[in-house]
């Protein structure tokens, strides 16, 4: 397994796009944090102090909006999608699978290394956003443990999100679809489904993966939402793994 | 190390691309893999490497590839000259391929030098020609000094000098006790390169034998004899039980393995001989003879 991990690290680190995407994700996290901070300050300055307090802006919420918004998720999702998408696109998956005939090894190595890179990028982005937002006196800071809990939940969500991207890229063998499909669901489709069909099928919103995932990160009914999100991740990841294992390279 | 392919079979929908194909590759010789377009050569190689899922198995030194702890030390494959990320430098590409076996950077540079890509090491292969892509692919295949090389059409796009270099290199690599299995449609080149051939047509085995034995299968192997008295010599040959057909104005093509037999008959019968030549079919001629009609993508003039 160590050879496969080394291989995957060299694969991901020798592509300039990986570093560009990671840098953009960090910079955008900081930029969003700065914009939120500026907007909060502006709102506080333009209104009475009571209105400013009424903003009730939490540090965790602001950091979350800065680091896991749709644009940053596109960047992080692209890093995940590249793991399989680029290999299928350029045919290098055949080189990889010749070196590592046990496909499980390749699948696990890709998941581990890519998730590590994505999490590292997210951590740096979070630190940047945290530092920018925590300077603003209008932003209410949580206790250390509350922030840490939020942070860990976001990490779990990101890993789940990355696994969904992996799975869809493997299933479709197309990098773009691996990014677009999860983001279309997370950003548009689920919200539309929940609002249009949710009135008639009341249980539907509770079973949608990304809504459940967002609620899990927000700390709403964590057990149920976490289980729903986790179940979707597990089903898609297992489907992706089985197809990867059985299909011609 | 020897490589044994046993009962390889691959079906795509209603088409059987490879049918119960079995052969053995021995070390020390270059084995050519021949077949018309669409005959299943590339599919066979992918099946051997476990890249395509099908029936049958391939034993690498008696074991499946998945049972070897380091597959890179067992087999190096070059299946396509475009299998690289166009945005990863040639050197980084090889460093990635060498990661599993902890190949040092010095070996990467050595291999780049060997295939003549040192000056291109820091360039991204998106601008590489087909020939340069072939060199990079070959560099990746030999990087870990594997016991077996599996190469699919490695001479495509190479200039004559490079083809000669490739031939010499593969023969040298095989002579070190390694297995070299190489497909090519350049049959003249293959005749110079390979000592053994595996020939398939429509996914089925046609031949698995030394090149010399394969060439001897041809009906075009004959003896040409030119004489001013063709009728008398033809009668004498016929009386001796040999089949002779007219060839040109004054020649006879005799279906016999030894030209001395024809010379002796002419001498015994007092027939003057102006030319006596043993004609051997080329690998290409034998290949065409055995595979005509089995080409999947034949042009209008050929069935």
């Amino acid at each position: 397994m160590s050879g496969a991990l080394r291989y995957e690290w060299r694969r991901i680190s020798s592509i300039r796009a990986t570093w560009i995407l990671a840098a953009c994700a960090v910079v955008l996290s900081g930029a969003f944090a700065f914009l939120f901070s500026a907007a909060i300050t502006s709102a506080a300055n333009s209104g009475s102090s009571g209105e400013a307090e009424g903003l009730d802006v939490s540090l965790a919420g602001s950091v979350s909006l800065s680091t896991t918004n749709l644009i940053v998720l596109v960047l992080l999702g692209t890093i995940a999608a590249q793991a399989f998408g680029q290999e299928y696109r350029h045919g290098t998956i055949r080189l990889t699978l010749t070196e590592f005939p046990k496909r499980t090894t390749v699948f696990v190595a890709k998941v581990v290394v890519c998730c590590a890179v994505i999490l590292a990028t997210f951590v740096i982005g979070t630190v940047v956003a945290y530092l920018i937002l925590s300077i603003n006196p209008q932003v209410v800071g949580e206790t250390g443990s509350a922030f840490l809990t939020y942070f860990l939940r976001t990490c779990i969500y990101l890993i789940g999100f990355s696994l969904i991207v992996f799975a869809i890229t493997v299933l479709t063998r197309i990098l773009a679809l691996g990014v677009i499909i999860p983001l279309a669901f997370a950003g548009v489709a689920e919200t539309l489904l929940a609002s249009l069909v949710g009135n008639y099928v009341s249980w539907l919103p509770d079973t949608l993966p990304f809504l459940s995932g967002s609620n899990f990160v927000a700390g709403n009914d964590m057990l149920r939402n976490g289980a729903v999100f986790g179940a979707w991740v597990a089903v898609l990841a297992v489907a992706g793994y089985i197809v990867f294992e059985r299909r011609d390279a | 190390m020897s490589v044994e392919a046993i009962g390889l079979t691959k079906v795509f929908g209603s088409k059987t691309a490879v049918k119960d194909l079995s052969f053995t590759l021995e070390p020390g010789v270059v084995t050519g893999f021949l077949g018309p377009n669409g005959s299943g050569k590339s599919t066979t190689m992918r099946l051997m490497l476990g890249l395509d899922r099908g029936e049958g198995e391939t034993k690498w030194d008696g074991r499946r590839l998945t049972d070897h702890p380091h597959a890179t030390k067992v087999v190096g494959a070059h299946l396509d000259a475009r299998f690289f990320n166009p945005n990863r430098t040639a050197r980084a590409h090889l460093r990635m391929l060498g990661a599993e076996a902890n190949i040092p950077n010095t070996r990467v540079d050595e291999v780049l030098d060997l295939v003549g890509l040192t000056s291109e090491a820091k360039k991204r292969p998106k601008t590489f020609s087909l020939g340069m892509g072939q060199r990079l692919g070959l560099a990746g295949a030999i990087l870990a000094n594997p016991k077996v090389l599996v190469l699919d059409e490695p001479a495509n796009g190479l200039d004559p000098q490079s083809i000669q270099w490739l031939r010499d290199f593969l023969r040298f690599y095989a002579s070190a006790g390694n297995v070299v299995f190489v497909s090519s449609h350049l049959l003249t080149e293959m005749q110079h390169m390979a000592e053994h051939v595996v020939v398939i047509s429509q996914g089925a085995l046609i031949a698995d034998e030394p090149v010399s034995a394969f060439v001897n299968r041809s009906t075009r192997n004959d003896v040409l004899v030119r004489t001013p008295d063709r009728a008398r010599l033809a009668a004498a040959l016929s009386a001796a039980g040999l089949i002779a057909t007219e060839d040109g104005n004054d020649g006879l093509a005799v279906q016999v393995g030894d030209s001395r037999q024809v010379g002796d008959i002419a001498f015994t019968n007092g027939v003057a001989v102006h030319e006596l030549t043993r004609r051997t079919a080329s690998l290409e001629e034998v290949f065409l003879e055995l595979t005509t009609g089995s080409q999947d993508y034949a042009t209008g003039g050929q069935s």
Side-chain angles (χ1 to χ4, degrees):
Chain A
M1 178 54 86
S2 60
L5 292 172
R6 270 198 308 276
Y7 182 97
E8 187 55 25
W9 168 246
R10 288 216 180 140
R11 185 201 65 76
I12 198 170
S13 63
S14 58
I15 293 293
R16 206 163 38 182
T18 304
W19 302 110
I20 293 171
L21 288 166
C24 286
V26 171
V27 169
L28 276 177
S29 296
F32 281 121
F34 179 79
L35 287 174
F36 281 132
S37 182
I40 291 161
T41 304
S42 175
N45 290 342
S46 63
S48 65
S49 62
E51 282 174 325
E53 282 168 14
L55 288 170
D56 194 22
V57 181
S58 80
L59 182 58
S62 305
V63 170
S64 174
L65 285 171
S66 305
T67 56
T68 56
N69 61 67
L70 210 56
I71 299 173
V72 174
L73 281 180
V74 168
L75 297 169
L76 297 179
T78 305
I79 293 176
Q82 281 184 337
F84 287 102
Q86 280 195 335
E87 293 243 57
Y88 279 117
R89 184 179 175 188
H90 301 302
T92 51
I93 191 71
R94 290 181 175 167
L95 301 178
T96 303
L97 293 177
T98 302
E99 289 216 10
F100 305 98
K102 290 178 182 167
R103 297 189 181 189
T104 305
T105 308
V106 173
F107 194 89
V108 172
K110 283 186 178 297
V111 168
V112 168
V113 173
C114 282
C115 283
V117 169
I118 288 165
L119 282 181
T121 306
F122 169 69
V123 168
I124 296 168
T126 300
V127 169
V128 170
Y130 182 94
L131 291 174
I132 291 170
L133 284 160
S134 60
I135 297 169
N136 193 326
Q138 265 80 37
V139 178
V140 183
E142 289 85 355
T143 61
S145 62
F147 190 87
L148 188 65
T149 311
Y150 142 77
F151 175 75
L152 289 175
R153 285 200 303 270
T154 311
C155 286
I156 291 168
Y157 176 77
L158 264 183
I159 290 171
F161 179 80
S162 301
L163 281 169
I164 290 174
V165 172
F166 281 133
I168 291 173
T169 311
V170 170
L171 291 169
T172 62
R173 295 208 226 196
I174 299 171
L175 190 154
L177 290 181
V179 181
I180 290 167
I181 290 174
L183 288 168
F185 268 85
V188 183
E190 288 196 3
T191 312
L192 280 176
L193 271 174
S195 57
L196 295 177
V197 187
N199 291 334
Y200 307 103
V201 189
S202 58
W203 51 265
L204 185 71
D206 294 337
T207 60
L208 296 172
F210 297 106
L211 278 180
S212 302
S214 301
N215 284 328
F216 168 75
V217 172
N220 304 328
D221 197 358
M222 280 196 297
L223 197 63
R224 192 189 59 77
N225 283 311
V228 170
F229 181 64
W232 275 101
V233 170
V235 166
L236 286 170
V238 168
Y241 168 75
I242 289 171
V243 167
F244 181 68
E245 185 70 30
R246 294 187 179 174
R247 193 168 53 188
D248 293 344
Chain B
M1 174 180 291
S2 66
V3 181
E4 196 181 358
I6 307 159
L8 298 179
T9 302
K10 177 68 180 175
V11 179
F12 293 110
S14 59
K15 185 186 175 180
T16 304
V18 179
K19 294 176 199 162
D20 194 23
L21 195 57
S22 299
F23 54 86
T24 303
L25 306 175
E26 296 295 343
V29 294
V30 174
T31 301
F33 192 27
L34 310 179
N37 284 346
S39 60
K41 298 188 299 295
S42 298
T43 306
T44 301
M45 287 181 159
R46 291 198 301 270
L47 281 169
M48 290 172 71
L49 295 165
L51 298 174
D52 277 8
R53 299 307 200 194
E55 290 171 36
E57 61 177 349
T58 304
K59 294 283 183 71
W60 309 78
D61 211 14
R63 288 187 287 171
R64 290 182 305 176
L65 200 54
T66 47
D67 294 334
H68 286 272
H70 296 288
T72 46
K73 297 283 185 190
V74 178
V75 59
H78 167 42
L79 302 179
D80 193 296
R82 298 287 175 199
F83 282 173
F84 48 69
N85 188 312
N87 295 312
R88 181 182 288 119
T89 67
R91 193 166 187 269
H93 174 74
L94 294 179
R95 285 193 69 218
M96 178 188 80
L97 294 179
E100 193 275 337
N102 263 329
I103 303 288
N105 289 344
T106 49
R107 171 64 182 163
V108 170
D109 294 336
E110 183 186 315
V111 168
L112 281 167
D113 186 45
L114 187 67
V115 299
L117 284 179
T118 300
S119 60
E120 313 295 322
K122 291 180 180 172
K123 290 184 184 169
R124 291 180 167 75
K126 57 186 167 190
T127 57
F128 279 13
S129 65
L130 179 61
M132 290 161 78
Q134 294 283 21
R135 289 162 182 267
L136 182 59
L138 183 66
I142 63 175
L143 187 62
N145 257 323
K147 290 285 179 193
V148 183
L149 279 185
V150 175
L151 311 173
D152 194 4
E153 302 276 4
N156 268 5
L158 295 182
D159 55 41
Q161 289 85 354
S162 301
I163 290 178
Q164 187 176 355
W165 171 85
L166 178 69
R167 177 205 310 163
D168 294 342
F169 174 77
L170 294 183
R171 293 187 81 128
F172 167 77
Y173 202 85
S175 70
N178 297 312
V179 174
V180 176
F181 188 46
V182 52
S183 76
S184 177
H185 66 273
L186 303 174
L187 297 176
T188 310
E189 187 47 44
M190 190 62 87
Q191 187 156 20
H192 290 119
M193 190 190 294
E195 292 132 83
H196 194 98
V197 284
V198 172
V199 185
I200 64 169
S201 180
Q202 294 186 332
L205 189 72
I206 286 184
D208 175 12
E209 57 198 2
V211 171
S212 55
F214 181 67
V215 168
N216 282 337
R217 283 187 183 210
S218 175
T219 56
R220 298 183 192 204
N221 294 321
D222 58 14
V223 170
L224 173 68
V225 56
R226 294 191 190 284
T227 172
D229 197 352
R230 184 161 66 180
R232 195 145 68 92
L233 181 58
L237 290 168
S238 180
L242 298 177
I243 299 167
T245 53
E246 291 185 358
D247 191 318
N249 292 328
D250 59 350
L252 288 169
V254 188
Q255 298 295 319
V256 64
D258 191 351
S259 58
R260 286 176 300 185
Q261 196 179 345
V262 177
D264 289 347
I265 291 169
F267 179 76
T268 308
N269 289 276
V271 177
V273 169
H274 292 172
E275 182 184 349
L276 187 61
T277 308
R278 166 112 171 87
R279 296 192 299 194
T280 307
S282 68
L283 182 63
E284 185 170 10
E285 286 169 330
V286 186
F287 175 78
L288 290 172
E289 198 178 323
L290 294 177
T291 60
T292 296
S294 62
Q295 193 179 357
D296 270 8
Y297 306 106
T299 54
Q302 191 176 10
S303 61

